[in-house]
Amino acid sequence: MRPEPALVVVAVAAACTGLRTAAEWLRTTKLREQADNWIATGSGRAPSDDVLRVRMDELVNPGARIELGSRFIAVGQEALRGSSWPRSPVHLNRRSVADQLDNLSALADALRDVETPVSPRGVALARRLLTHTGGPLYRADRSVELGTTLGQVLSAIRRPAAG
Protein backbone atom coordinates (compact mmCIF):
# COMPACT_ATOMS: atom_id res chain seq x y z
CA MET A 1 0.00 0.00 0.00
CA ARG A 2 1.21 3.44 -0.90
CA PRO A 3 0.55 6.32 1.48
CA GLU A 4 -1.92 8.94 0.42
CA PRO A 5 -0.17 11.93 -1.21
CA ALA A 6 -1.91 14.30 1.21
CA LEU A 7 -0.45 12.39 4.18
CA VAL A 8 3.03 12.59 2.69
CA VAL A 9 2.67 16.34 2.25
CA VAL A 10 1.50 16.73 5.85
CA ALA A 11 4.38 14.59 7.15
CA VAL A 12 6.96 16.55 5.16
CA ALA A 13 5.48 19.87 6.34
CA ALA A 14 5.55 18.69 9.95
CA ALA A 15 9.18 17.59 9.61
CA CYS A 16 10.15 20.94 8.10
CA THR A 17 8.39 22.80 10.89
CA GLY A 18 10.23 20.71 13.46
CA LEU A 19 13.58 21.42 11.82
CA ARG A 20 12.86 25.16 11.68
CA THR A 21 11.87 25.14 15.35
CA ALA A 22 15.04 23.27 16.33
CA ALA A 23 17.20 25.60 14.25
CA GLU A 24 15.58 28.67 15.83
CA TRP A 25 16.10 27.21 19.32
CA LEU A 26 19.80 26.60 18.58
CA ARG A 27 20.21 30.09 17.14
CA THR A 28 18.53 31.68 20.16
CA THR A 29 20.60 29.60 22.59
CA LYS A 30 23.81 30.62 20.85
CA LEU A 31 22.81 34.30 20.92
CA ARG A 32 22.00 34.08 24.64
CA GLU A 33 25.34 32.42 25.41
CA GLN A 34 27.16 35.05 23.35
CA ALA A 35 25.29 37.85 25.13
CA ASP A 36 25.89 36.28 28.56
CA ASN A 37 29.61 36.06 27.88
CA TRP A 38 29.70 39.69 26.72
CA ILE A 39 27.65 40.91 29.70
CA ALA A 40 29.68 38.90 32.23
CA THR A 41 33.19 39.49 30.91
CA GLY A 42 33.07 42.12 28.17
CA SER A 43 34.93 39.68 25.94
CA GLY A 44 34.11 37.70 22.87
CA ARG A 45 31.97 38.81 19.99
CA ALA A 46 29.66 41.67 20.93
CA PRO A 47 25.99 40.94 20.27
CA SER A 48 23.75 43.47 18.59
CA ASP A 49 22.23 46.17 20.78
CA ASP A 50 18.79 44.58 20.40
CA VAL A 51 20.01 41.13 21.46
CA LEU A 52 21.93 42.65 24.35
CA ARG A 53 18.93 44.66 25.56
CA VAL A 54 16.60 41.63 25.39
CA ARG A 55 19.09 39.39 27.18
CA MET A 56 19.72 41.92 29.94
CA ASP A 57 15.96 42.12 30.51
CA GLU A 58 15.75 38.32 30.61
CA LEU A 59 18.56 38.09 33.16
CA VAL A 60 16.96 40.49 35.63
CA ASN A 61 13.44 39.14 35.11
CA PRO A 62 11.96 38.26 38.55
CA GLY A 63 10.98 34.73 37.52
CA ALA A 64 14.44 34.00 36.14
CA ARG A 65 16.08 35.43 39.27
CA ILE A 66 13.93 33.31 41.57
CA GLU A 67 14.65 30.18 39.55
CA LEU A 68 18.42 30.85 39.53
CA GLY A 69 18.45 31.62 43.26
CA SER A 70 16.57 28.37 43.91
CA ARG A 71 19.19 26.48 41.94
CA PHE A 72 21.89 27.88 44.23
CA ILE A 73 19.84 26.77 47.25
CA ALA A 74 19.69 23.28 45.71
CA VAL A 75 23.48 23.31 45.27
CA GLY A 76 23.90 24.10 48.97
CA GLN A 77 21.49 21.34 49.94
CA GLU A 78 23.31 18.86 47.71
CA ALA A 79 26.62 19.80 49.34
CA LEU A 80 25.17 19.19 52.80
CA ARG A 81 23.71 15.84 51.78
CA GLY A 82 27.17 14.63 50.93
CA SER A 83 25.82 11.51 49.30
CA SER A 84 27.96 9.48 46.95
CA TRP A 85 25.15 9.48 44.38
CA PRO A 86 24.80 12.98 42.94
CA ARG A 87 21.51 13.94 41.33
CA SER A 88 23.31 15.01 38.18
CA PRO A 89 26.20 13.60 36.17
CA VAL A 90 28.30 16.61 37.22
CA HIS A 91 30.09 16.16 40.53
CA LEU A 92 29.72 19.10 42.86
CA ASN A 93 32.76 20.19 44.86
CA ARG A 94 30.82 19.45 48.06
CA ARG A 95 33.50 20.28 50.62
CA SER A 96 34.20 23.74 49.18
CA VAL A 97 30.52 24.47 48.69
CA ALA A 98 29.75 23.40 52.27
CA ASP A 99 32.50 25.77 53.47
CA GLN A 100 30.88 28.62 51.51
CA LEU A 101 27.23 28.09 52.50
CA ASP A 102 26.92 31.61 53.95
CA ASN A 103 28.10 33.22 50.70
CA LEU A 104 26.00 30.82 48.65
CA SER A 105 22.92 31.69 50.73
CA ALA A 106 23.64 35.41 50.39
CA LEU A 107 23.83 34.97 46.61
CA ALA A 108 20.58 33.01 46.50
CA ASP A 109 18.89 35.64 48.69
CA ALA A 110 20.11 38.50 46.51
CA LEU A 111 18.78 36.77 43.41
CA ARG A 112 15.43 35.90 44.97
CA ASP A 113 14.87 39.37 46.46
CA VAL A 114 13.06 40.68 43.39
CA GLU A 115 12.21 43.97 45.12
CA THR A 116 15.89 44.97 45.02
CA PRO A 117 17.37 45.73 41.60
CA VAL A 118 20.37 43.69 40.47
CA SER A 119 22.84 44.10 37.66
CA PRO A 120 22.54 41.95 34.54
CA ARG A 121 26.31 41.42 34.74
CA GLY A 122 26.00 39.97 38.24
CA VAL A 123 23.23 37.61 37.16
CA ALA A 124 25.24 36.55 34.10
CA LEU A 125 28.22 35.84 36.37
CA ALA A 126 25.98 33.82 38.71
CA ARG A 127 24.62 31.78 35.78
CA ARG A 128 28.15 31.21 34.55
CA LEU A 129 29.28 30.02 38.00
CA LEU A 130 26.40 27.57 38.12
CA THR A 131 26.69 26.24 34.57
CA HIS A 132 30.46 26.24 33.98
CA THR A 133 31.45 22.75 35.09
CA GLY A 134 35.12 23.66 34.86
CA GLY A 135 34.69 26.30 37.56
CA PRO A 136 35.26 26.35 41.31
CA LEU A 137 31.75 25.14 42.14
CA TYR A 138 32.63 21.77 40.62
CA ARG A 139 36.41 21.35 40.40
CA ALA A 140 38.30 20.40 43.56
CA ASP A 141 41.53 21.80 42.12
CA ARG A 142 39.85 25.22 42.02
CA SER A 143 38.42 25.07 45.56
CA VAL A 144 40.39 28.04 46.83
CA GLU A 145 38.71 30.25 44.22
CA LEU A 146 35.13 29.61 45.30
CA GLY A 147 34.94 32.15 48.14
CA THR A 148 36.53 34.89 46.05
CA THR A 149 34.33 34.07 43.07
CA LEU A 150 31.15 34.13 45.17
CA GLY A 151 32.24 37.47 46.63
CA GLN A 152 32.83 38.91 43.15
CA VAL A 153 29.46 37.68 41.91
CA LEU A 154 27.69 39.13 44.97
CA SER A 155 29.47 42.45 44.52
CA ALA A 156 28.51 42.56 40.83
CA ILE A 157 24.88 41.67 41.56
CA ARG A 158 24.55 44.46 44.12
CA ARG A 159 25.70 47.13 41.63
CA PRO A 160 22.65 47.56 39.37
CA ALA A 161 23.72 50.97 38.07
CA ALA A 162 27.05 49.56 36.87
CA GLY A 163 25.25 46.91 34.78
Side-chain angles (χ1 to χ4, degrees):
M1 272 178 97
R2 295 178 60 194
E4 291 291 324
L7 291 177
V8 172
V9 169
V10 168
V12 169
C16 288
T17 300
L19 287 174
R20 277 194 301 272
T21 301
E24 180 60 22
W25 179 84
L26 286 172
R27 187 186 74 76
T28 302
T29 299
K30 183 176 179 178
L31 285 173
R32 279 187 179 123
E33 289 172 3
Q34 178 186 354
D36 283 0
N37 187 53
W38 180 259
I39 293 165
T41 66
S43 64
R45 187 170 166 224
S48 72
D49 289 345
D50 289 340
V51 168
L52 196 57
R53 189 174 17 265
V54 167
R55 186 59 182 150
M56 288 170 66
D57 287 345
E58 289 174 346
L59 288 168
V60 298
N61 173 281
R65 287 176 57 185
I66 290 168
E67 191 265 324
L68 185 58
S70 296
R71 289 175 64 192
F72 277 105
I73 294 293
V75 164
Q77 291 170 342
E78 181 72 19
L80 290 176
R81 247 193 304 287
S83 68
S84 59
W85 294 96
R87 292 180 176 214
S88 76
V90 177
H91 294 277
L92 186 65
N93 185 355
R94 285 187 177 89
R95 181 174 295 157
S96 293
V97 172
D99 289 345
Q100 292 296 324
L101 283 179
D102 288 344
N103 283 330
L104 200 67
S105 270
L107 177 56
D109 290 345
L111 287 164
R112 297 185 322 164
D113 176 12
V114 296
E115 298 300 317
T116 303
V118 295
S119 78
R121 178 176 179 267
V123 179
L125 287 168
R127 286 181 51 79
R128 186 179 178 107
L129 176 62
L130 191 64
T131 60
H132 182 58
T133 58
L137 204 56
Y138 303 101
R139 300 239 342 230
D141 63 334
R142 296 188 64 189
S143 296
V144 296
E145 299 172 39
L146 186 57
T148 302
T149 301
L150 284 167
Q152 290 169 341
V153 172
L154 268 167
S155 178
I157 278 181
R158 292 177 175 153
R159 272 189 261 128

Coordinates of all heavy atoms in Angstrom, one line a residue, residues 54-108:
V54 N 17.5 42.7 25.1 CA 16.6 41.6 25.4 C 17.2 40.7 26.4 O 16.5 40.3 27.4 CB 16.2 40.9 24.1 CG1 15.5 39.6 24.4 CG2 15.3 41.7 23.2
R55 N 18.5 40.3 26.2 CA 19.1 39.4 27.2 C 19.2 40.0 28.6 O 19.0 39.3 29.6 CB 20.5 38.9 26.6 CG 21.1 37.8 27.5 CD 20.2 36.6 27.6 NE 20.7 35.6 28.4 CZ 20.0 34.8 29.2 NH1 18.7 34.8 29.1 NH2 20.6 33.9 29.9
M56 N 19.6 41.3 28.6 CA 19.7 41.9 29.9 C 18.4 41.9 30.7 O 18.3 41.7 31.9 CB 20.3 43.3 29.8 CG 21.8 43.3 29.4 SD 22.5 44.9 28.9 CE 22.4 45.8 30.4
D57 N 17.3 42.2 29.9 CA 16.0 42.1 30.5 C 15.6 40.7 31.0 O 15.0 40.5 32.1 CB 14.9 42.6 29.5 CG 14.9 44.1 29.3 OD1 15.6 44.8 30.1 OD2 14.3 44.5 28.3
E58 N 16.0 39.7 30.2 CA 15.8 38.3 30.6 C 16.5 38.0 31.9 O 16.0 37.3 32.8 CB 16.2 37.3 29.5 CG 15.3 37.4 28.3 CD 15.8 36.5 27.2 OE1 17.0 36.1 27.2 OE2 15.0 36.2 26.2
L59 N 17.7 38.4 32.0 CA 18.6 38.1 33.2 C 18.0 38.7 34.4 O 18.0 38.0 35.5 CB 20.0 38.6 33.0 CG 20.8 37.8 31.9 CD1 22.1 38.5 31.6 CD2 21.1 36.4 32.4
V60 N 17.5 39.9 34.4 CA 17.0 40.5 35.6 C 15.5 40.3 35.8 O 14.9 40.7 36.8 CB 17.3 42.0 35.7 CG1 18.8 42.2 35.7 CG2 16.6 42.8 34.5
N61 N 14.8 39.5 35.0 CA 13.4 39.1 35.1 C 13.2 38.4 36.5 O 14.0 37.5 36.8 CB 13.0 38.2 34.0 CG 11.6 37.7 34.1 OD1 11.4 36.7 34.9 ND2 10.7 38.3 33.4
P62 N 12.2 38.9 37.2 CA 12.0 38.3 38.6 C 11.8 36.7 38.5 O 12.4 36.1 39.4 CB 10.7 38.9 39.0 CG 10.6 40.2 38.3 CD 11.3 40.0 37.0
G63 N 11.1 36.2 37.6 CA 11.0 34.7 37.5 C 12.3 34.0 37.3 O 12.6 33.0 37.9
A64 N 13.1 34.6 36.4 CA 14.4 34.0 36.1 C 15.4 34.1 37.4 O 16.1 33.2 37.7 CB 15.1 34.7 34.9
R65 N 15.3 35.2 38.1 CA 16.1 35.4 39.3 C 15.7 34.4 40.4 O 16.6 33.9 41.0 CB 15.9 36.9 39.8 CG 16.6 37.9 38.9 CD 16.3 39.3 39.5 NE 16.7 39.4 40.9 CZ 16.5 40.6 41.5 NH1 15.9 41.6 41.0 NH2 16.9 40.6 42.8
I66 N 14.4 34.3 40.5 CA 13.9 33.3 41.6 C 14.4 31.9 41.2 O 14.9 31.2 42.1 CB 12.4 33.4 41.7 CG1 12.0 34.7 42.4 CG2 11.9 32.2 42.5 CD1 10.5 35.0 42.3
E67 N 14.3 31.5 40.0 CA 14.7 30.2 39.6 C 16.2 30.0 39.7 O 16.6 28.9 40.3 CB 14.2 30.0 38.1 CG 14.4 28.5 37.6 CD 15.7 28.2 36.9 OE1 16.2 29.1 36.2 OE2 16.2 27.1 37.1
L68 N 17.0 31.0 39.4 CA 18.4 30.8 39.5 C 18.8 30.8 41.0 O 19.6 30.0 41.4 CB 19.1 32.0 38.8 CG 20.6 32.0 38.8 CD1 21.1 30.7 38.1 CD2 21.1 33.3 38.1
G69 N 18.2 31.6 41.8 CA 18.4 31.6 43.3 C 18.1 30.3 43.9 O 18.8 29.7 44.7
S70 N 17.0 29.7 43.4 CA 16.6 28.4 43.9 C 17.6 27.3 43.5 O 17.8 26.3 44.3 CB 15.2 28.0 43.4 OG 14.2 29.0 43.9
R71 N 18.2 27.4 42.4 CA 19.2 26.5 41.9 C 20.4 26.6 42.8 O 21.0 25.5 43.2 CB 19.6 26.7 40.5 CG 18.4 26.2 39.6 CD 18.6 26.5 38.1 NE 19.7 25.8 37.6 CZ 20.3 26.0 36.4 NH1 19.8 27.0 35.6 NH2 21.3 25.3 35.9
F72 N 20.8 27.8 43.3 CA 21.9 27.9 44.2 C 21.5 27.3 45.6 O 22.4 26.7 46.2 CB 22.3 29.3 44.4 CG 23.3 29.8 43.3 CD1 22.8 30.6 42.3 CD2 24.6 29.3 43.3 CE1 23.7 31.0 41.2 CE2 25.5 29.7 42.3 CZ 25.0 30.5 41.2
I73 N 20.3 27.4 46.0 CA 19.8 26.8 47.2 C 20.0 25.2 47.1 O 20.5 24.6 48.0 CB 18.4 27.1 47.6 CG1 18.3 28.6 47.9 CG2 17.8 26.3 48.7 CD1 18.9 29.1 49.2
A74 N 19.6 24.7 46.0 CA 19.7 23.3 45.7 C 21.1 22.8 45.7 O 21.5 21.7 46.2 CB 19.0 22.9 44.4
V75 N 22.1 23.6 45.2 CA 23.5 23.3 45.3 C 23.9 23.2 46.7 O 24.6 22.3 47.1 CB 24.3 24.4 44.5 CG1 25.8 24.3 44.8 CG2 24.1 24.2 43.0
G76 N 23.5 24.2 47.6 CA 23.9 24.1 49.0 C 23.3 22.9 49.7 O 24.0 22.2 50.4
Q77 N 22.1 22.5 49.4 CA 21.5 21.3 49.9 C 22.2 20.1 49.5 O 22.4 19.2 50.3 CB 20.0 21.3 49.6 CG 19.2 22.3 50.3 CD 17.8 22.4 49.7 OE1 17.4 22.0 48.6 NE2 16.9 23.1 50.5
E78 N 22.6 20.0 48.2 CA 23.3 18.9 47.7 C 24.7 18.7 48.4 O 25.1 17.6 48.7 CB 23.5 19.0 46.2 CG 24.2 17.8 45.5 CD 23.4 16.6 45.5 OE1 22.1 16.6 45.6 OE2 24.0 15.5 45.3
A79 N 25.3 19.8 48.7 CA 26.6 19.8 49.3 C 26.5 19.3 50.8 O 27.3 18.5 51.2 CB 27.2 21.2 49.4
L80 N 25.4 19.7 51.4 CA 25.2 19.2 52.8 C 24.8 17.7 52.9 O 25.1 17.0 53.8 CB 24.1 20.0 53.5 CG 24.5 21.5 53.8 CD1 23.3 22.2 54.4 CD2 25.6 21.5 54.8
R81 N 24.1 17.3 51.8 CA 23.7 15.8 51.8 C 24.9 15.0 51.8 O 25.0 13.9 52.4 CB 22.9 15.6 50.5 CG 21.4 15.2 50.9 CD 20.7 14.6 49.7 NE 20.6 15.4 48.5 CZ 19.9 16.5 48.3 NH1 19.2 17.0 49.3 NH2 19.9 17.1 47.1
G82 N 25.9 15.4 51.0 CA 27.2 14.6 50.9 C 27.1 13.2 50.5 O 27.9 12.4 50.7
S83 N 26.0 12.9 49.8 CA 25.8 11.5 49.3 C 26.8 11.2 48.2 O 27.4 12.1 47.6 CB 24.4 11.3 48.8 OG 24.2 12.0 47.6
S84 N 27.0 9.9 48.0 CA 28.0 9.5 46.9 C 27.2 9.3 45.6 O 27.8 9.0 44.6 CB 28.6 8.2 47.3 OG 27.6 7.2 47.5
W85 N 25.9 9.6 45.6 CA 25.2 9.5 44.4 C 24.6 10.8 44.0 O 23.5 11.2 44.5 CB 24.0 8.5 44.5 CG 24.5 7.1 44.7 CD1 24.7 6.4 45.9 CD2 24.9 6.2 43.7 NE1 25.2 5.2 45.6 CE2 25.3 5.0 44.3 CE3 25.0 6.3 42.3 CZ2 25.8 3.9 43.6 CZ3 25.4 5.2 41.6 CH2 25.8 4.0 42.2
P86 N 25.3 11.7 43.3 CA 24.8 13.0 42.9 C 23.5 12.9 42.1 O 23.3 11.9 41.4 CB 26.0 13.6 42.2 CG 26.8 12.5 41.7 CD 26.6 11.4 42.6
R87 N 22.7 13.9 42.1 CA 21.5 13.9 41.3 C 21.8 14.3 39.9 O 20.9 14.2 39.1 CB 20.5 15.0 41.9 CG 20.0 14.5 43.2 CD 19.1 15.5 43.8 NE 18.5 15.0 45.0 CZ 17.3 15.3 45.4 NH1 16.5 16.0 44.7 NH2 16.9 14.7 46.5
S88 N 23.0 14.7 39.6 CA 23.3 15.0 38.2 C 24.6 14.3 37.8 O 25.4 13.9 38.7 CB 23.4 16.5 38.0 OG 24.6 17.0 38.6
P89 N 24.9 14.2 36.6 CA 26.2 13.6 36.2 C 27.4 14.5 36.5 O 28.5 14.0 36.5 CB 26.1 13.4 34.7 CG 25.0 14.4 34.2 CD 24.1 14.6 35.4
V90 N 27.2 15.7 36.9 CA 28.3 16.6 37.2 C 28.5 16.5 38.7 O 27.6 16.6 39.5 CB 28.0 18.1 36.8 CG1 29.1 19.0 37.3 CG2 27.7 18.2 35.3
H91 N 29.8 16.3 39.1 CA 30.1 16.2 40.5 C 30.4 17.5 41.1 O 31.3 18.2 40.7 CB 31.3 15.2 40.7 CG 31.0 13.8 40.3 ND1 30.4 12.9 41.1 CD2 31.2 13.2 39.1 CE1 30.3 11.8 40.5 NE2 30.7 11.9 39.3
L92 N 29.6 17.9 42.1 CA 29.7 19.1 42.9 C 30.9 19.0 43.8 O 31.2 18.0 44.4 CB 28.4 19.3 43.7 CG 28.3 20.6 44.4 CD1 28.2 21.8 43.5 CD2 27.0 20.5 45.3
N93 N 31.6 20.1 43.9 CA 32.8 20.2 44.9 C 32.2 20.4 46.3 O 32.2 21.5 46.8 CB 33.7 21.3 44.4 CG 34.9 21.4 45.3 OD1 35.1 20.7 46.3 ND2 35.8 22.3 44.9
R94 N 31.6 19.4 46.8 CA 30.8 19.5 48.1 C 31.5 20.1 49.2 O 31.0 20.9 50.0 CB 30.3 18.1 48.5 CG 29.2 17.6 47.6 CD 28.7 16.3 48.2 NE 27.5 15.8 47.4 CZ 27.6 15.0 46.3 NH1 28.8 14.6 45.9 NH2 26.6 14.7 45.7
R95 N 32.8 19.7 49.5 CA 33.5 20.3 50.6 C 33.6 21.8 50.5 O 33.4 22.5 51.5 CB 34.9 19.6 50.7 CG 35.7 20.2 51.9 CD 36.9 19.4 52.2 NE 36.6 18.0 52.5 CZ 37.5 17.0 52.3 NH1 38.6 17.3 51.8 NH2 37.1 15.8 52.6
S96 N 34.0 22.3 49.4 CA 34.2 23.7 49.2 C 32.9 24.5 49.3 O 32.8 25.5 49.8 CB 34.9 24.1 47.8 OG 36.2 23.6 47.9
V97 N 31.8 23.9 48.6 CA 30.5 24.5 48.7 C 30.0 24.5 50.1 O 29.5 25.5 50.6 CB 29.5 23.7 47.8 CG1 28.1 24.2 47.9 CG2 30.0 23.9 46.3
A98 N 30.2 23.4 50.9 CA 29.8 23.4 52.3 C 30.5 24.5 53.1 O 29.9 25.1 54.0 CB 30.0 22.0 52.9
D99 N 31.7 24.7 52.8 CA 32.5 25.8 53.5 C 32.0 27.2 53.1 O 32.3 28.1 53.8 CB 34.0 25.7 53.1 CG 34.7 24.5 53.7 OD1 34.1 23.8 54.7 OD2 35.8 24.1 53.3
Q100 N 31.3 27.3 52.0 CA 30.9 28.6 51.5 C 29.4 28.8 51.6 O 28.8 29.6 50.9 CB 31.3 28.8 50.1 CG 32.8 29.0 49.9 CD 33.4 30.2 50.6 OE1 32.7 31.2 50.6 NE2 34.5 30.1 51.2
L101 N 28.7 28.0 52.4 CA 27.2 28.1 52.5 C 26.7 29.5 52.8 O 25.7 29.9 52.3 CB 26.7 27.1 53.5 CG 26.7 25.6 53.0 CD1 26.1 24.7 54.1 CD2 25.9 25.5 51.8
D102 N 27.4 30.3 53.6 CA 26.9 31.6 53.9 C 26.9 32.5 52.7 O 26.0 33.2 52.4 CB 27.8 32.3 55.0 CG 27.5 31.6 56.4 OD1 26.5 30.9 56.6 OD2 28.4 31.9 57.3
N103 N 28.0 32.4 51.9 CA 28.1 33.2 50.7 C 27.1 32.7 49.7 O 26.5 33.5 48.9 CB 29.5 33.2 50.1 CG 30.5 34.1 50.9 OD1 30.1 35.1 51.4 ND2 31.7 33.7 50.9
L104 N 27.0 31.4 49.6 CA 26.0 30.8 48.7 C 24.6 31.2 49.0 O 23.8 31.6 48.1 CB 26.1 29.3 48.7 CG 25.6 28.5 47.5 CD1 26.4 28.8 46.3 CD2 25.6 27.0 47.8
S105 N 24.2 31.2 50.3 CA 22.9 31.7 50.7 C 22.7 33.2 50.4 O 21.6 33.6 50.0 CB 22.8 31.5 52.2 OG 22.2 30.2 52.5
A106 N 23.7 34.0 50.7 CA 23.6 35.4 50.4 C 23.4 35.6 48.9 O 22.6 36.5 48.5 CB 24.9 36.1 50.8
L107 N 24.0 34.9 48.1 CA 23.8 35.0 46.6 C 22.4 34.6 46.2 O 21.7 35.3 45.5 CB 24.8 34.1 45.9 CG 24.7 34.0 44.3 CD1 24.7 35.4 43.7 CD2 25.8 33.2 43.8
A108 N 21.9 33.5 46.8 CA 20.6 33.0 46.5 C 19.6 34.0 47.0 O 18.6 34.4 46.3 CB 20.3 31.7 47.2

